[in-house]
Amino acid sequence: MSDSDSDSPMDVDAAAEAALAGLLPEKSKTLYENSYKRFNDWRTKNKIAAVDEKCMLAYFSQEMGSQKPSTSWTHYSMLKSTLNMHMGVDISGFRNLISFLKRKSDGFRPKKSKILTKEQIFKFLKDADDTIYLATKVVLIVGVYGACRREEILKLTLADIEDMADKVTITIPNTKTKIMRQFVITKGNAPEVDMLKLFRQYAQMRPAGLTHSRFFVGYRAGKCTKQVIGINAIAKMPKTIVSRVHRPLFPTIISFSPRRLWSRHFYFEETWRMEVFSSC
């Protein structure tokens, strides 16, 4: 018997399902599937069989009518992917639906993130007590220099860091875009604020004998602990910084968002970040 005769026939359906499963973003796959399930539950409840433009208009008008335009567009995007994947329905060609969503967005003004000035940031780095805020300062420095997402800060390890004479090189191996990137931390040119010194000061306090290689560990009363800093602790750091430098903004800050907040929308004016940090 030849090898080809002994081979089992390929399960085309299973292979196709596996391929389709990889089309959705891994991190937000659950959100996509929940959006698809919500739509199907609505169809079942209202005994709607066909998925056409009238169906979609009714769904977004009734089920999503009370949502913000930005939320409706998010669900549209997720349904566009999942309906095409599961049912072969391409709603991107539903012109009346798109016009409806655009009309719903008329006059809508999304809430913009608050911005702190470079002076306020330098004030925090310079004046905040290192025995309390050193870890927060270093997270801030890494986030700015590398435009890092909080997950990237969380997963930073000792192997990702190379300390040289006049700089520290950091490698982010596993990014959202699947492309490795590097950045450097230098002394900077801010008056009375040495970014490199702050980074090294924190790194040198790392306790010996740790069983993990994560860089960011807890920091209390001027000492590092053996416990790692969790993602929720990182998420709360913006409130800590705002409470120190700009009290009026404090009630409006919720938590740390992805790297766009580090790079411009939350803490920094984009032109300042490019001039002060990227050129250092």
Side-chain angles (χ1 to χ4, degrees), residues 83-101:
L83 287 174
N84 195 25
M85 184 176 71
H86 292 300
M87 304 178 68
V89 178
D90 183 9
I91 66 173
S92 64
F94 293 174
R95 300 304 176 191
N96 289 331
L97 174 61
I98 295 174
S99 296
F100 171 79
L101 293 174

Side-chain angles (χ1 to χ4, degrees), residues 185-196:
I185 295 176
T186 63
K187 178 180 179 180
N189 56 12
E192 300 183 77
V193 178
D194 189 329
M195 315 289 180
L196 196 55

